[in-house]
Amino acid sequence: ANLMVSQTDQLGTDVRLILASQSPRRREILDMMGLAGKFDATPSPLDESELQQTLRRRETPVTPVEYTQLLAEEKAKALVETLTLQANDSPV
């Protein structure tokens, strides 16, 4: 499968990817994919231990694939919420 990244959205606005991780290896992987300089590394404020506790309380066990997907989604949601609050708090 090919990964295609558009640098502009439908309105012609520049779009940058956000890597919600502090992992140097993940940065390296994105660089190797030709995305060097096209993303910002901004760690997610998600408390992963809280997510793990929630998942332990589920009746059915979480598969590794499910966990990976849930973690990515929750990291993204937490970061979007933080960035939105910051944008709303900044003077225009």
Side-chain angles (χ1 to χ4, degrees):
N2 292 329
L3 175 66
M4 298 180 67
V5 179
S6 173
Q7 291 185 289
T8 57
D9 65 12
Q10 293 175 346
L11 299 174
T13 306
D14 286 338
V15 175
R16 291 186 57 84
L17 296 175
I18 298 175
L19 173 63
S21 171
Q22 294 182 52
S23 166
R25 179 67 180 139
R26 287 193 175 84
R27 289 180 197 171
E28 182 182 353
I29 291 168
L30 289 178
D31 288 345
M32 288 186 313
M33 293 172 61
L35 298 173
K38 298 177 183 175
F39 66 90
D40 296 313
T42 306
S44 174
L46 178 71
D47 180 355
E48 292 182 38
S49 61
E50 189 176 311
L51 175 63
Q52 291 168 353
Q53 289 175 5
T54 300
L55 295 175
R56 283 189 195 106
R57 291 191 292 268
R58 285 181 35 171
E59 290 184 29
T60 56
V62 178
T63 67
V65 170
E66 259 185 308
Y67 178 75
T68 303
Q69 183 173 351
L70 286 168
L71 180 60
E73 289 172 356
E74 293 303 315
K75 276 184 156 188
K77 287 177 191 175
L79 186 54
V80 165
E81 185 176 307
T82 298
L83 294 175
T84 301
L85 288 172
Q86 288 174 356
N88 290 338
D89 287 344
S90 11
V92 177

Coordinates of all heavy atoms in Angstrom, one line a residue:
A1 N 0.8 -1.2 0.0 CA 0.0 0.0 0.0 C 0.9 1.2 0.0 O 1.9 1.3 0.7 CB -0.9 0.0 1.2
N2 N 0.5 2.2 -0.7 CA 1.2 3.5 -0.8 C 0.7 4.5 0.2 O -0.5 4.5 0.4 CB 1.1 4.1 -2.2 CG 1.8 3.3 -3.2 OD1 2.8 2.7 -2.9 ND2 1.4 3.3 -4.4
L3 N 1.5 5.2 0.9 CA 1.1 6.3 1.8 C 1.2 7.6 1.0 O 2.3 7.9 0.5 CB 2.0 6.3 3.0 CG 1.7 7.5 4.0 CD1 0.4 7.3 4.6 CD2 2.8 7.5 5.0
M4 N 0.1 8.3 0.9 CA 0.1 9.5 0.2 C -0.3 10.6 1.2 O -1.2 10.5 1.9 CB -0.9 9.5 -1.0 CG -0.6 8.5 -2.0 SD -1.7 8.5 -3.4 CE -1.5 10.0 -4.1
V5 N 0.5 11.7 1.2 CA 0.3 12.8 2.1 C 0.1 14.0 1.3 O 1.0 14.4 0.6 CB 1.4 12.9 3.1 CG1 1.2 14.1 4.1 CG2 1.6 11.6 3.9
S6 N -1.0 14.7 1.5 CA -1.3 15.9 0.8 C -0.8 17.0 1.7 O -1.0 17.0 2.9 CB -2.7 16.1 0.5 OG -3.0 17.4 0.0
Q7 N -0.1 18.0 1.1 CA 0.4 19.1 1.9 C -0.6 20.3 1.9 O -0.4 21.3 2.6 CB 1.7 19.6 1.4 CG 2.8 18.6 1.7 CD 4.2 19.1 1.3 OE1 4.4 19.2 0.1 NE2 5.0 19.4 2.3
T8 N -1.7 20.2 1.2 CA -2.7 21.2 1.2 C -4.1 20.5 1.4 O -4.3 19.4 0.9 CB -2.7 22.1 0.0 OG1 -2.9 21.3 -1.2 CG2 -1.5 22.9 -0.2
D9 N -5.0 21.2 2.1 CA -6.3 20.6 2.2 C -7.2 21.1 1.0 O -6.7 21.7 0.1 CB -6.9 21.0 3.5 CG -7.2 22.5 3.7 OD1 -7.1 23.2 2.7 OD2 -7.5 22.9 4.8
Q10 N -8.4 20.8 1.1 CA -9.3 21.2 0.0 C -9.5 22.7 -0.2 O -9.9 23.1 -1.3 CB -10.7 20.5 0.2 CG -10.7 19.0 0.1 CD -12.0 18.4 0.5 OE1 -12.9 19.0 1.0 NE2 -12.1 17.1 0.1
L11 N -9.2 23.4 0.8 CA -9.2 24.9 0.7 C -7.9 25.5 0.3 O -7.8 26.7 0.2 CB -9.7 25.5 2.0 CG -11.1 25.0 2.5 CD1 -11.3 25.6 3.9 CD2 -12.2 25.4 1.6
G12 N -6.9 24.7 0.0 CA -5.6 25.2 -0.4 C -4.8 25.6 0.8 O -3.7 26.3 0.6
T13 N -5.2 25.3 2.0 CA -4.4 25.7 3.2 C -3.3 24.7 3.4 O -3.5 23.5 3.3 CB -5.4 25.7 4.4 OG1 -6.5 26.6 4.1 CG2 -4.6 26.2 5.6
D14 N -2.1 25.2 3.8 CA -1.0 24.2 4.1 C -1.4 23.4 5.3 O -2.0 23.8 6.3 CB 0.2 25.0 4.5 CG 0.9 25.6 3.3 OD1 0.6 25.1 2.2 OD2 1.7 26.5 3.4
V15 N -1.1 22.1 5.2 CA -1.4 21.1 6.2 C -0.2 20.5 6.7 O 0.7 20.1 5.9 CB -2.4 20.0 5.7 CG1 -2.7 19.0 6.7 CG2 -3.7 20.7 5.3
R16 N 0.0 20.4 8.0 CA 1.2 19.7 8.5 C 0.7 18.5 9.4 O -0.3 18.6 10.0 CB 2.0 20.6 9.4 CG 2.7 21.7 8.6 CD 3.7 22.5 9.4 NE 4.7 21.8 10.1 CZ 5.9 21.4 9.5 NH1 6.1 21.6 8.3 NH2 6.8 20.8 10.3
L17 N 1.4 17.4 9.3 CA 1.1 16.3 10.2 C 1.6 16.5 11.6 O 2.6 17.3 11.8 CB 1.9 15.0 9.7 CG 1.5 14.5 8.3 CD1 2.5 13.4 7.9 CD2 0.1 14.1 8.2
I18 N 0.9 15.9 12.5 CA 1.4 16.0 13.9 C 1.7 14.6 14.4 O 0.8 13.7 14.4 CB 0.3 16.6 14.8 CG1 0.0 18.1 14.4 CG2 0.7 16.6 16.3 CD1 -1.1 18.7 15.1
L19 N 2.9 14.4 14.9 CA 3.3 13.2 15.5 C 3.1 13.4 17.0 O 3.8 14.1 17.6 CB 4.8 12.9 15.1 CG 5.4 11.7 15.9 CD1 4.7 10.4 15.5 CD2 6.9 11.6 15.5
A20 N 2.2 12.6 17.5 CA 1.8 12.8 19.0 C 2.7 11.9 19.8 O 2.2 11.1 20.6 CB 0.3 12.5 19.2
S21 N 4.0 12.0 19.6 CA 4.9 11.1 20.3 C 6.3 11.8 20.5 O 6.6 12.7 19.7 CB 5.1 9.8 19.4 OG 6.2 9.0 19.9
Q22 N 7.0 11.4 21.5 CA 8.3 11.9 21.7 C 9.4 10.9 21.2 O 10.6 11.1 21.3 CB 8.6 12.1 23.2 CG 7.7 13.2 23.8 CD 8.0 13.5 25.2 OE1 9.1 13.6 25.6 NE2 7.0 13.4 26.0
S23 N 8.9 9.8 20.6 CA 9.8 8.7 20.2 C 10.8 9.2 19.0 O 10.3 9.5 17.9 CB 9.0 7.5 19.7 OG 9.8 6.6 19.0
P24 N 12.1 9.1 19.3 CA 13.0 9.5 18.2 C 12.9 8.5 17.0 O 13.0 8.8 15.9 CB 14.4 9.3 18.8 CG 14.1 9.4 20.3 CD 12.7 8.9 20.5
R25 N 12.6 7.2 17.3 CA 12.4 6.2 16.3 C 11.2 6.5 15.4 O 11.3 6.3 14.2 CB 12.3 4.8 16.9 CG 12.1 3.7 15.9 CD 13.3 3.5 15.1 NE 13.1 2.4 14.1 CZ 13.5 2.4 12.9 NH1 14.2 3.4 12.4 NH2 13.3 1.4 12.1
R26 N 10.1 7.0 15.9 CA 9.0 7.3 15.1 C 9.3 8.5 14.2 O 8.9 8.5 13.0 CB 7.8 7.6 15.9 CG 7.2 6.3 16.5 CD 5.8 6.5 17.1 NE 5.3 5.2 17.5 CZ 5.6 4.6 18.7 NH1 6.4 5.2 19.6 NH2 5.1 3.5 19.0
R27 N 10.1 9.4 14.7 CA 10.5 10.6 13.9 C 11.4 10.1 12.7 O 11.3 10.5 11.6 CB 11.3 11.6 14.7 CG 10.4 12.4 15.6 CD 11.3 13.3 16.4 NE 10.5 13.8 17.6 CZ 11.0 14.5 18.5 NH1 12.2 14.9 18.5 NH2 10.2 14.8 19.5
E28 N 12.3 9.2 13.1 CA 13.2 8.6 12.1 C 12.4 7.9 11.0 O 12.7 8.0 9.8 CB 14.2 7.6 12.8 CG 15.2 7.0 11.8 CD 16.1 6.0 12.6 OE1 16.0 5.9 13.8 OE2 16.9 5.4 11.8
I29 N 11.4 7.1 11.4 CA 10.6 6.4 10.4 C 9.9 7.4 9.4 O 9.9 7.2 8.2 CB 9.6 5.5 11.1 CG1 10.3 4.3 11.8 CG2 8.5 4.9 10.1 CD1 9.5 3.5 12.7
L30 N 9.3 8.4 10.0 CA 8.6 9.4 9.1 C 9.6 10.1 8.2 O 9.3 10.3 7.0 CB 7.9 10.5 10.0 CG 6.7 10.0 10.7 CD1 6.1 11.1 11.5 CD2 5.6 9.4 9.7
D31 N 10.8 10.4 8.7 CA 11.9 11.0 7.8 C 12.2 10.0 6.7 O 12.3 10.4 5.5 CB 13.1 11.3 8.6 CG 13.0 12.4 9.6 OD1 12.0 13.2 9.4 OD2 13.8 12.6 10.5
M32 N 12.4 8.7 7.0 CA 12.7 7.7 6.0 C 11.6 7.6 4.9 O 11.8 7.2 3.8 CB 12.9 6.3 6.6 CG 14.2 6.3 7.4 SD 14.7 4.6 8.0 CE 13.2 4.0 8.8
M33 N 10.3 7.9 5.3 CA 9.2 7.9 4.4 C 9.1 9.1 3.6 O 8.2 9.3 2.8 CB 7.9 7.7 5.2 CG 7.8 6.4 5.9 SD 6.4 6.3 7.1 CE 5.0 6.5 5.9
G34 N 10.1 10.0 3.7 CA 10.1 11.2 2.9 C 9.3 12.4 3.5 O 9.0 13.3 2.8
L35 N 9.0 12.3 4.8 CA 8.2 13.3 5.4 C 9.0 14.2 6.3 O 8.4 15.0 7.1 CB 7.1 12.6 6.3 CG 6.1 11.8 5.5 CD1 5.2 11.0 6.4 CD2 5.3 12.6 4.5
A36 N 10.3 14.2 6.1 CA 11.2 15.1 6.9 C 10.7 16.5 6.7 O 10.5 17.0 5.5 CB 12.6 14.9 6.5
G37 N 10.6 17.3 7.8 CA 10.2 18.7 7.7 C 8.7 18.9 7.4 O 8.3 20.1 7.3
K38 N 8.0 17.9 7.3 CA 6.5 18.0 7.0 C 5.6 17.6 8.2 O 4.4 17.5 8.0 CB 6.2 17.1 5.8 CG 6.9 17.5 4.5 CD 6.6 16.5 3.4 CE 7.4 16.9 2.2 NZ 7.2 16.0 1.1
F39 N 6.3 17.5 9.4 CA 5.5 17.1 10.5 C 6.1 17.8 11.8 O 7.2 18.2 11.8 CB 5.4 15.6 10.8 CG 6.8 15.0 11.1 CD1 7.2 14.9 12.4 CD2 7.6 14.5 10.1 CE1 8.4 14.3 12.7 CE2 8.8 13.9 10.4 CZ 9.2 13.8 11.7
D40 N 5.2 18.0 12.7 CA 5.6 18.6 14.0 C 5.5 17.4 15.1 O 4.4 16.7 15.1 CB 4.7 19.7 14.4 CG 4.8 20.9 13.5 OD1 6.0 21.3 13.1 OD2 3.8 21.4 13.1
A41 N 6.4 17.3 15.9 CA 6.4 16.3 17.0 C 5.8 17.0 18.2 O 6.5 17.9 18.8 CB 7.7 15.7 17.3
T42 N 4.6 16.7 18.6 CA 3.9 17.3 19.8 C 3.4 16.2 20.6 O 2.4 15.6 20.2 CB 2.8 18.3 19.3 OG1 3.3 19.2 18.4 CG2 2.2 19.0 20.5
P43 N 4.0 15.9 21.8 CA 3.5 14.8 22.6 C 2.1 15.0 23.0 O 1.7 16.1 23.4 CB 4.5 14.8 23.8 CG 5.6 15.6 23.4 CD 5.2 16.6 22.3
S44 N 1.4 13.9 23.1 CA 0.0 13.9 23.5 C 0.0 13.9 25.1 O 0.8 13.3 25.7 CB -0.7 12.6 23.1 OG -2.0 12.5 23.6
P45 N -0.9 14.7 25.7 CA -1.0 14.7 27.1 C -1.8 13.5 27.7 O -2.0 13.5 28.9 CB -1.8 16.0 27.4 CG -2.7 16.1 26.2 CD -1.9 15.6 25.0
L46 N -2.1 12.5 26.9 CA -2.9 11.4 27.4 C -2.2 10.6 28.5 O -1.0 10.3 28.4 CB -3.2 10.4 26.2 CG -4.0 9.1 26.6 CD1 -5.4 9.5 27.0 CD2 -3.9 8.1 25.6
D47 N -2.9 10.3 29.6 CA -2.4 9.5 30.6 C -2.7 8.0 30.2 O -3.8 7.5 30.4 CB -3.1 9.8 32.0 CG -2.6 9.0 33.1 OD1 -1.8 8.1 32.9 OD2 -3.0 9.3 34.2
E48 N -1.6 7.4 29.7 CA -1.8 6.0 29.2 C -2.2 5.0 30.3 O -2.9 4.1 30.1 CB -0.5 5.5 28.5 CG -0.3 6.3 27.2 CD 0.9 5.8 26.4 OE1 1.1 4.6 26.4 OE2 1.6 6.7 25.8
S49 N -1.7 5.3 31.5 CA -2.0 4.3 32.6 C -3.5 4.4 32.9 O -4.1 3.3 33.2 CB -1.2 4.7 33.8 OG -1.5 6.0 34.3
E50 N -4.1 5.5 32.8 CA -5.6 5.6 33.0 C -6.3 4.8 31.9 O -7.3 4.1 32.2 CB -6.0 7.1 33.0 CG -7.4 7.3 33.4 CD -7.8 8.8 33.4 OE1 -7.0 9.6 34.0 OE2 -8.8 9.1 32.9
L51 N -5.9 4.9 30.7 CA -6.5 4.1 29.6 C -6.3 2.6 29.9 O -7.3 1.8 29.7 CB -5.9 4.5 28.3 CG -6.4 3.7 27.0 CD1 -7.9 3.8 26.8 CD2 -5.6 4.0 25.8
Q52 N -5.2 2.2 30.3 CA -4.9 0.8 30.6 C -5.8 0.3 31.7 O -6.3 -0.8 31.6 CB -3.4 0.6 30.9 CG -2.5 0.8 29.7 CD -1.1 0.9 30.1 OE1 -0.7 0.9 31.3 NE2 -0.2 0.9 29.1
Q53 N -6.0 1.1 32.7 CA -6.9 0.7 33.8 C -8.3 0.5 33.3 O -9.0 -0.4 33.7 CB -6.9 1.7 35.0 CG -5.6 1.7 35.7 CD -5.5 2.8 36.8 OE1 -6.5 3.5 37.0 NE2 -4.4 2.9 37.4
T54 N -8.8 1.4 32.5 CA -10.1 1.4 31.9 C -10.3 0.1 31.1 O -11.3 -0.6 31.2 CB -10.4 2.6 31.0 OG1 -10.3 3.8 31.8 CG2 -11.8 2.5 30.4
L55 N -9.3 -0.2 30.3 CA -9.3 -1.4 29.4 C -9.3 -2.7 30.2 O -9.9 -3.7 29.9 CB -8.2 -1.4 28.4 CG -8.3 -0.3 27.4 CD1 -7.1 -0.2 26.5 CD2 -9.6 -0.4 26.6
R56 N -8.6 -2.7 31.4 CA -8.6 -3.9 32.2 C -9.9 -4.2 32.8 O -10.2 -5.4 33.1 CB -7.6 -3.7 33.4 CG -6.2 -3.8 33.0 CD -5.2 -3.9 34.2 NE -3.9 -3.7 33.8 CZ -3.2 -2.5 33.9 NH1 -3.7 -1.5 34.6 NH2 -2.0 -2.4 33.5
R57 N -10.8 -3.2 32.9 CA -12.1 -3.4 33.5 C -13.1 -4.0 32.5 O -14.2 -4.3 32.9 CB -12.6 -2.1 34.1 CG -11.9 -1.7 35.4 CD -12.6 -0.6 36.1 NE -12.6 0.7 35.4 CZ -11.7 1.6 35.5 NH1 -10.6 1.5 36.3 NH2 -11.8 2.7 34.8
R58 N -12.7 -4.1 31.2 CA -13.6 -4.6 30.2 C -13.9 -6.1 30.4 O -13.0 -6.8 30.9 CB -13.0 -4.4 28.8 CG -13.1 -3.0 28.4 CD -12.6 -2.7 27.0 NE -12.8 -3.8 26.0 CZ -12.5 -3.7 24.8 NH1 -12.1 -2.6 24.3 NH2 -12.7 -4.7 23.9
E59 N -15.0 -6.6 30.0 CA -15.3 -8.0 30.2 C -14.5 -8.8 29.2 O -14.2 -10.0 29.6 CB -16.8 -8.2 30.0 CG -17.7 -7.7 31.1 CD -19.2 -8.0 30.9 OE1 -19.5 -9.0 30.2 OE2 -20.0 -7.2 31.3
T60 N -14.3 -8.3 28.0 CA -13.5 -9.1 27.1 C -12.1 -8.5 27.0 O -11.9 -7.3 27.0 CB -14.2 -9.1 25.7 OG1 -14.3 -7.7 25.3 CG2 -15.5 -9.7 25.7
P61 N -11.1 -9.4 26.9 CA -9.7 -8.9 26.8 C -9.5 -8.1 25.5 O -10.2 -8.3 24.5 CB -8.9 -10.1 26.8 CG -9.8 -11.3 26.9 CD -11.2 -10.8 26.8
V62 N -8.6 -7.1 25.6 CA -8.3 -6.3 24.5 C -7.1 -7.0 23.7 O -6.1 -7.4 24.3 CB -7.8 -4.9 24.9 CG1 -7.4 -4.0 23.8 CG2 -8.9 -4.2 25.8
T63 N -7.3 -7.1 22.4 CA -6.3 -7.6 21.5 C -5.2 -6.6 21.3 O -5.4 -5.4 21.5 CB -6.8 -8.1 20.2 OG1 -7.2 -6.9 19.4 CG2 -8.0 -9.0 20.3
P64 N -4.0 -7.0 20.9 CA -2.9 -6.0 20.7 C -3.3 -5.0 19.6 O -3.0 -3.9 19.7 CB -1.7 -6.9 20.2 CG -2.0 -8.2 20.9 CD -3.5 -8.4 20.9
V65 N -4.0 -5.5 18.6 CA -4.4 -4.6 17.5 C -5.4 -3.6 18.0 O -5.3 -2.4 17.7 CB -5.0 -5.4 16.3 CG1 -5.7 -4.5 15.3 CG2 -4.0 -6.3 15.6
E66 N -6.4 -4.1 18.8 CA -7.4 -3.2 19.4 C -6.7 -2.1 20.3 O -7.0 -0.9 20.2 CB -8.3 -4.0 20.3 CG -9.7 -4.3 19.7 CD -10.5 -4.9 20.8 OE1 -10.1 -5.9 21.4 OE2 -11.7 -4.5 21.0
Y67 N -5.8 -2.6 21.1 CA -5.1 -1.7 22.0 C -4.3 -0.6 21.3 O -4.4 0.6 21.6 CB -4.1 -2.4 22.9 CG -3.4 -1.5 23.9 CD1 -4.0 -0.9 25.0 CD2 -2.0 -1.2 23.6 CE1 -3.3 0.0 25.8 CE2 -1.4 -0.3 24.4 CZ -2.0 0.3 25.5 OH -1.4 1.2 26.3
T68 N -3.6 -1.0 20.2 CA -2.9 -0.1 19.4 C -3.8 1.0 18.8 O -3.5 2.2 18.8 CB -2.1 -0.8 18.3 OG1 -1.2 -1.8 18.9 CG2 -1.2 0.1 17.5
Q69 N -4.9 0.5 18.3 CA -5.8 1.5 17.6 C -6.5 2.4 18.7 O -6.5 3.6 18.5 CB -6.9 0.7 16.9 CG -7.9 1.6 16.2 CD -8.9 0.8 15.3 OE1 -8.8 -0.4 15.1 NE2 -9.9 1.6 14.8
L70 N -6.9 1.8 19.8 CA -7.5 2.7 20.9 C -6.5 3.7 21.4 O -6.8 4.8 21.6 CB -8.0 1.8 22.0 CG -9.3 1.0 21.7 CD1 -9.5 0.0 22.8 CD2 -10.5 1.9 21.6
L71 N -5.2 3.3 21.6 CA -4.2 4.2 22.1 C -4.0 5.3 21.1 O -3.9 6.5 21.5 CB -2.9 3.4 22.4 CG -1.8 4.2 22.9 CD1 -2.1 4.9 24.3 CD2 -0.5 3.4 23.1
A72 N -3.9 5.0 19.9 CA -3.7 6.0 18.9 C -4.8 7.0 18.8 O -4.6 8.2 18.8 CB -3.5 5.4 17.5
E73 N -6.1 6.5 18.9 CA -7.2 7.3 18.8 C -7.3 8.2 20.1 O -7.6 9.4 20.0 CB -8.5 6.5 18.7 CG -8.7 5.8 17.4 CD -9.8 4.8 17.3 OE1 -10.5 4.6 18.4 OE2 -10.1 4.3 16.2
E74 N -7.1 7.7 21.2 CA -7.1 8.4 22.5 C -6.0 9.5 22.5 O -6.3 10.6 23.0 CB -7.1 7.5 23.7 CG -8.4 6.6 23.8 CD -9.7 7.4 23.8 OE1 -9.7 8.4 24.6 OE2 -10.6 7.0 23.2
K75 N -4.8 9.1 22.1 CA -3.7 10.1 22.0 C -4.1 11.3 21.1 O -3.9 12.5 21.5 CB -2.5 9.5 21.5 CG -1.7 8.8 22.5 CD -0.4 8.3 21.9 CE 0.7 8.1 22.9 NZ 2.0 7.8 22.3
A76 N -4.7 11.0 20.0 CA -5.1 12.0 19.0 C -6.2 12.9 19.6 O -6.1 14.1 19.5 CB -5.6 11.4 17.7
K77 N -7.2 12.3 20.2 CA -8.3 13.1 20.9 C -7.7 14.0 21.9 O -8.1 15.2 22.0 CB -9.3 12.2 21.5 CG -10.2 11.4 20.5 CD -11.1 10.5 21.2 CE -11.8 9.6 20.2 NZ -12.7 8.6 21.0
A78 N -6.9 13.5 22.8 CA -6.3 14.3 23.9 C -5.5 15.5 23.3 O -5.6 16.6 23.8 CB -5.5 13.4 24.8
L79 N -4.7 15.2 22.3 CA -3.9 16.3 21.7 C -4.8 17.3 21.0 O -4.5 18.5 21.1 CB -2.9 15.7 20.7 CG -1.9 16.7 20.2 CD1 -1.2 17.5 21.3 CD2 -0.9 16.0 19.3
V80 N -5.8 16.9 20.3 CA -6.7 17.8 19.6 C -7.4 18.7 20.6 O -7.5 19.9 20.5 CB -7.8 17.1 18.7 CG1 -8.9 18.0 18.4 CG2 -7.1 16.5 17.5
E81 N -7.8 18.1 21.7 CA -8.5 18.9 22.8 C -7.5 20.0 23.3 O -7.9 21.1 23.5 CB -8.9 18.0 23.9 CG -9.7 18.7 25.0 CD -10.2 17.7 26.0 OE1 -10.9 16.7 25.6 OE2 -10.0 17.9 27.2
T82 N -6.3 19.6 23.6 CA -5.3 20.5 24.1 C -5.0 21.6 23.1 O -4.9 22.8 23.5 CB -4.0 19.7 24.5 OG1 -4.3 18.8 25.5 CG2 -2.9 20.7 25.0
L83 N -4.7 21.3 21.9 CA -4.4 22.3 20.9 C -5.6 23.2 20.6 O -5.4 24.4 20.4 CB -4.0 21.6 19.6 CG -2.7 20.8 19.6 CD1 -2.4 20.1 18.3 CD2 -1.5 21.7 20.0
T84 N -6.8 22.7 20.7 CA -8.0 23.5 20.5 C -8.1 24.5 21.7 O -8.4 25.7 21.5 CB -9.3 22.7 20.4 OG1 -9.1 21.8 19.3 CG2 -10.5 23.5 20.3
L85 N -7.9 24.0 22.9 CA -8.0 24.9 24.1 C -6.9 26.0 24.0 O -7.1 27.2 24.2 CB -7.8 24.2 25.4 CG -9.0 23.3 25.8 CD1 -8.6 22.4 27.0 CD2 -10.2 24.1 26.1
Q86 N -5.7 25.6 23.5 CA -4.6 26.6 23.4 C -4.9 27.6 22.3 O -4.7 28.8 22.5 CB -3.3 25.9 23.0 CG -2.7 25.1 24.1 CD -1.5 24.3 23.7 OE1 -1.1 24.3 22.6 NE2 -0.9 23.7 24.7
A87 N -5.5 27.2 21.2 CA -5.9 28.1 20.1 C -7.0 29.1 20.6 O -7.0 30.2 20.2 CB -6.4 27.3 18.9
N88 N -7.9 28.6 21.4 CA -9.0 29.4 21.8 C -8.5 30.4 22.9 O -9.1 31.5 23.1 CB -10.2 28.6 22.4 CG -10.9 27.8 21.3 OD1 -10.9 28.2 20.2 ND2 -11.6 26.8 21.7
D89 N -7.5 30.1 23.6 CA -6.9 31.0 24.6 C -6.0 32.0 24.1 O -5.7 33.0 24.7 CB -6.2 30.2 25.7 CG -7.2 29.4 26.6 OD1 -8.4 29.7 26.6 OD2 -6.7 28.5 27.3
S90 N -5.5 31.8 22.8 CA -4.5 32.8 22.3 C -5.2 34.0 21.7 O -6.3 33.9 21.2 CB -3.6 32.2 21.2 OG -3.9 31.0 20.8
P91 N -4.6 35.1 21.9 CA -5.2 36.4 21.4 C -5.2 36.4 19.9 O -4.2 35.8 19.3 CB -4.3 37.5 21.9 CG -3.0 36.8 22.4 CD -3.3 35.4 22.6
V92 N -6.2 37.0 19.3 CA -6.3 37.0 17.8 C -5.5 38.1 17.3 O -5.3 39.2 17.7 CB -7.8 37.1 17.4 CG1 -7.9 37.2 15.9 CG2 -8.6 36.0 18.0

